[in-house]
Amino acid sequence: MSHNSPHFDAPAYQLRPLWMICALVAVVFSAATAPASAAANPAQVVPVAPNDSPATIIANAANVVPSPRQLAWQRLERMAFIHFGVNTFTDREWGTGTEDPDVFQPAGLNTDQWASSLKDAGFKGGILTAKHHDGFLLFPSKASAFGVASDRAWQNGGGDVVRNFTDSMHKYGLKAGIYLSPADLHENLSGGRFANGSAQKPVTIPSDPAEVVNGVTFQFTSDDYNAYFENTIYELMSRYGSIDEVWWDMANPTGRTQPYNFLDWIKIVRTLQPGAAMENDGGPDIRWIGNENGYARQSETSVVPYTGNAAIAADNIVNPPGGNGAADLGSDSLLSQRKSDGTSAWNYLKWSPGECNGTLSARHDWFWHANEVWRGVPELEDMYYASVGRNCTMLLNVSPNRQGQLDQSAITALADFNTRLTGTFGTNLATGATVTNDTGTSNAAGRTPALALDGNLDSSWQPTTTTGGLVFTLPAARTFDVLSLQEDLNSGQHVQSYAVDAWNGSAWNQIAADTTIGQKKLTRLSSPVTTSQVRLRITGSRTAPAIAEFGLFKRPGGSGQQGSITSTASGRCVDVNGQSTTNGAAVQLWDCNGGTNQQWTVNTDGTIVGGQSGLCLDANGAATTNGTKLVLWTCTGAADQKWQFR
Ligand code: FUL
């Protein structure tokens, strides 16, 4: 199931009048004599002139910076996707649009439980499927009866999941986002408005004067479906307080084409929710990463080249070159690419940060299904390092069940994941270091080395040239196995290559080398390093790099995998009786409660170590017979403390 639909429709605005096409042709023919652009001022969109040299384009790429809403959004790092709707009750991933609204019966709906669980697990907000491809609306709309308003089996048609959701998110201080599928299987039914061939004609949005908020109305030229969709966007953006993200899914299971008036949709959101960041295959604010596994590229850039109209690019959607899944969206060689006539392949460069969506479900389900299996800590941790750790915002899907609640097992999975992250990132082991320029490096005025370790993402160390080094002299020898680097995005994304060295007592020893950084780059070392001096070397950058933060971290429990161990039959957790930390403590099943006596580290040497006690899971008395009890015991390295996962 792909987000990037093969039925991607050309947005209506791409149908340009003849005079514009003539003007474009004229530009192409006069390219050889067209002037190159001057050095760009920092901006979210920087035009590329046909004759700009590769060097000019790369120099200008260094001046592409995030809008304030993009910067705020990138710093969220962890968001939750929440897929909930008729599919939850019909056991489907894609619905049909013919569902009886009465199937939707979340008798125990508890959006406070969603919000509190997400907050406890370190998520900054959530995005709810207000309408998935089936077209069923989770809120009462004046524009369609297909939704909760016709659901006699739940709150007698008076329910509003979007209201419950947004109220709970705001109550817990979390961001609230809305997912809306433009493709609509219900409106695609005979007599429906999707792709019905109706004319684009002048409309006022909202259609119902009673829906007008603060006197804001829009005059658009829309066909039946666009007018319908625009009314729903207006309702969602005007009724529920602050909306922080809007997600338009380009998958289209209808098999038919319908023009999407994106520029008008974007205008409604910008007007009613100026702070909302909008996601689509290509913007306007957020770029879909190109897969649904939650993985970014190793060299993930937020500066992407596009062909299109630079003048409207900040409020427009255009697919990135080669599609969202292309291996390279921002290398110097891609940015420098020429057309066959020798002019630049691109019209503009745009700040276009990636979003990595993936599922908590190990089966890659978006909607809840019976006997759902959640990913364990190792997989979630891998996803985290491949998303947040690669300059991408993680959008992890959780699926409320038919009661309208998150399964306790899902909450436990999220909590375990968060325990692992807080256990790793709770203490920056570089804290307290003396930071100095490396030999041969000097910093720009006021951009001192200490700013790379002040915990402030808006202040940064900057050398005077495109390369340079920083030396961190730690207060004492420290052991770490994760490196963290963050650029100061206020001045863009610049770094192209860097290396990190550890002092081994007599020489610098390189322990990591990588390419881009951006909002955050995390590197897991294959084995822990103990040293009292670490050196960062920026070896390539589009302009003088600006390093906001440097961090050294240690994953708890060695390089082992940490989390709870649950019994599939009972859903209960492997637990240490009475939270004992003494030899001989009994190990048993108990309701999962997030306690450290239910945390285990599974090490590569076969030992399983209790989180609270640090003691090993042990066969009592080293017995080998049926019925032998399991206990905790001081780790001995003996065979009765070694376990194999099959
Ligand atoms: C896809 C959709 O088809 C899936 O159902 C899901 O919503 C996912 C996030 O995007 O394109």
Side-chain angles (χ1 to χ4, degrees), residues 77 388-391 425 428 452 457 461 470 472 482-489 495 497-500 512-523 534-538 546-553:
E77 294 196 350
V388 174
R390 289 183 187 166
N391 189 33
F425 296 104
N428 183 353
L457 292 179
W461 164 76
L470 271 185
F472 298 81
V482 177
L483 308 173
S484 173
L485 276 151
Q486 296 191 263
E487 282 185 79
D488 181 349
L489 298 188
V495 175
S497 61
Y498 68 92
V500 177
D514 206 338
T515 55
T516 53
I517 299 176
Q519 156 63 19
K520 186 173 276 184
K521 179 54 85 63
L522 297 172
T523 308
V534 179
R535 180 169 70 172
L536 166 66
R537 276 182 292 127
I538 306 294
I547 303 299
E549 283 304 307
F550 180 79
L552 302 171
F553 299 97

Side-chain angles (χ1 to χ4, degrees), residues 307-513:
T307 26
N309 182 351
I312 60 166
D315 297 318
N316 196 8
I317 58 136
V318 180
N319 284 354
N324 295 67
D328 175 12
L329 287 183
S331 68
D332 283 1
S333 67
L334 185 81
L335 266 53
S336 308
Q337 206 168 294
R338 318 305 283 178
K339 291 194 284 209
S340 55
D341 67 359
T343 60
S344 172
W346 320 114
N347 302 120
Y348 62 91
L349 308 175
K350 179 177 173 180
W351 191 267
S352 200
E355 179 169 53
C356 291
N357 58 314
T359 60
L360 183 63
S361 156
R363 297 194 301 235
H364 204 269
D365 295 330
W366 298 97
F367 288 89
W368 182 91
H369 303 279
N371 304 316
E372 195 55 87
V373 183
W374 310 114
R375 295 186 200 279
V377 171
E379 268 186 287
L380 294 172
E381 191 186 26
D382 284 348
M383 202 191 286
Y384 179 85
Y385 282 93
S387 55
V388 174
R390 289 183 187 166
N391 189 33
C392 197
T393 298
M394 181 183 210
L395 181 61
L396 182 66
N397 187 69
V398 296
S399 333
N401 60 25
R402 290 178 184 170
Q403 279 301 302
Q405 300 177 13
L406 300 181
D407 287 346
Q408 186 54 49
S409 54
I411 295 173
T412 302
L414 292 173
D416 287 350
F417 173 41
N418 191 50
T419 300
R420 178 72 176 167
L421 294 181
T422 53
T424 303
F425 296 104
T427 307
N428 183 353
L429 297 165
T431 304
T434 306
V435 198
T436 52
N437 287 314
D438 192 17
T439 314
T441 298
S442 48
N443 59 269
R447 308 292 291 274
T448 55
L451 296 176
L453 199 57
D454 66 350
N456 181 357
L457 292 179
D458 295 316
S459 73
S460 49
W461 164 76
Q462 187 169 50
T464 50
T465 60
T466 56
T467 58
L470 271 185
V471 175
F472 298 81
T473 303
L474 307 173
R478 285 182 176 162
T479 301
F480 53 87
D481 58 10
V482 177
L483 308 173
S484 173
L485 276 151
Q486 296 191 263
E487 282 185 79
D488 181 349
L489 298 188
N490 294 288
S491 51
Q493 183 176 344
H494 302 150
V495 175
Q496 298 291 295
S497 61
Y498 68 92
V500 177
D501 308 321
W503 183 252
N504 68 9
S506 52
W508 288 112
N509 182 27
Q510 182 173 308
I511 54 173

Side-chain angles (χ1 to χ4, degrees), residues 233-264:
I233 297 173
Y234 190 102
E235 290 168 337
L236 287 163
M237 296 302 118
S238 63
R239 291 178 180 175
Y240 300 103
S242 177
I243 300 296
D244 305 286
E245 184 168 344
V246 176
W247 222 86
W248 284 309
D249 189 339
M250 291 313 297
N252 181 357
T254 68
R256 297 208 295 162
T257 53
Q258 156 69 47
Y260 293 155
N261 295 1
F262 265 112
L263 289 180
D264 296 340

Side-chain angles (χ1 to χ4, degrees), residues 1-3 81 83 93-94 132-133 179 247 249 251 292 357 366:
M1 202 176 313
S2 158
H3 177 68
F81 225 164
H83 276 66
E93 280 289 296
W94 279 7
H132 203 251
H133 305 325
Y179 163 111
W247 222 86
D249 189 339
E292 300 199 306
N357 58 314
W366 298 97

Side-chain angles (χ1 to χ4, degrees), residues 34-387:
S37 47
N41 291 321
Q44 186 197 344
V45 176
V46 171
V48 177
N51 277 358
D52 279 353
S53 67
T56 301
I57 296 171
I58 303 303
N60 284 346
N63 278 329
V64 180
V65 296
S67 67
R69 79 168 74 80
Q70 288 178 314
L71 182 60
W73 175 83
Q74 283 188 269
R75 289 179 176 175
L76 296 175
E77 294 196 350
R78 257 190 290 168
M79 290 280 284
F81 225 164
I82 302 169
H83 276 66
F84 189 47
V86 282
N87 295 343
T88 311
F89 298 84
T90 56
D91 205 21
R92 296 177 70 101
E93 280 289 296
W94 279 7
T96 60
T98 60
E99 290 83 359
D100 179 345
D102 285 357
V103 299
F104 186 76
Q105 296 182 27
L109 181 69
N110 186 351
T111 51
D112 273 3
Q113 184 234 29
W114 307 357
S116 63
S117 309
L118 291 175
K119 187 173 179 119
D120 288 349
F123 287 78
K124 299 292 166 40
I127 301 174
L128 173 67
T129 50
K131 177 183 90 161
H132 203 251
H133 305 325
D134 45 72
F136 184 84
L137 301 173
L138 294 189
F139 62 104
S141 171
K142 295 270 177 64
S144 170
F146 187 58
V148 288
S150 306
D151 181 357
R152 298 292 142 202
W154 183 60
Q155 300 193 7
N156 199 26
D160 185 346
V161 183
V162 175
R163 171 80 57 206
N164 295 130
F165 163 73
T166 50
D167 281 355
S168 294
M169 299 306 272
H170 295 147
K171 176 171 154 189
Y172 283 87
L174 297 175
K175 305 289 180 194
I178 296 292
Y179 163 111
L180 265 183
S181 168
D184 189 316
L185 290 162
H186 184 73
E187 291 297 334
N188 192 47
L189 298 173
S190 170
R193 290 169 280 195
F194 191 87
N196 68 355
S198 56
Q200 304 264 359
K201 59 176 194 301
V203 295
T204 299
I205 302 296
S207 303
D208 182 346
E211 282 299 310
V212 175
V213 173
N214 294 331
V216 178
T217 60
F218 299 89
Q219 306 301 320
F220 294 141
T221 302
S222 310
D223 62 9
D224 292 350
Y225 185 73
N226 277 285
Y228 160 58
F229 201 63
E230 285 152 8
N231 275 309
T232 60
I233 297 173
Y234 190 102
E235 290 168 337
L236 287 163
M237 296 302 118
S238 63
R239 291 178 180 175
Y240 300 103
S242 177
I243 300 296
D244 305 286
E245 184 168 344
V246 176
W247 222 86
W248 284 309
D249 189 339
M250 291 313 297
N252 181 357
T254 68
R256 297 208 295 162
T257 53
Q258 156 69 47
Y260 293 155
N261 295 1
F262 265 112
L263 289 180
D264 296 340
W265 306 355
I266 290 165
K267 190 168 184 192
I268 302 174
V269 178
R270 286 280 193 257
T271 306
L272 296 174
Q273 296 286 346
M278 287 177 259
E279 188 274 359
N280 188 271
D281 284 358
D285 305 304
I286 304 168
R287 171 175 50 85
W288 177 53
I289 206 64
N291 66 70
E292 300 199 306
N293 304 321
Y295 278 60
R297 297 159 187 79
Q298 186 66 34
S299 305
E300 190 67 51
T301 174
S302 297
V303 180
V304 179
Y306 292 93
T307 26
N309 182 351
I312 60 166
D315 297 318
N316 196 8
I317 58 136
V318 180
N319 284 354
N324 295 67
D328 175 12
L329 287 183
S331 68
D332 283 1
S333 67
L334 185 81
L335 266 53
S336 308
Q337 206 168 294
R338 318 305 283 178
K339 291 194 284 209
S340 55
D341 67 359
T343 60
S344 172
W346 320 114
N347 302 120
Y348 62 91
L349 308 175
K350 179 177 173 180
W351 191 267
S352 200
E355 179 169 53
C356 291
N357 58 314
T359 60
L360 183 63
S361 156
R363 297 194 301 235
H364 204 269
D365 295 330
W366 298 97
F367 288 89
W368 182 91
H369 303 279
N371 304 316
E372 195 55 87
V373 183
W374 310 114
R375 295 186 200 279
V377 171
E379 268 186 287
L380 294 172
E381 191 186 26
D382 284 348
M383 202 191 286
Y384 179 85
Y385 282 93
S387 55

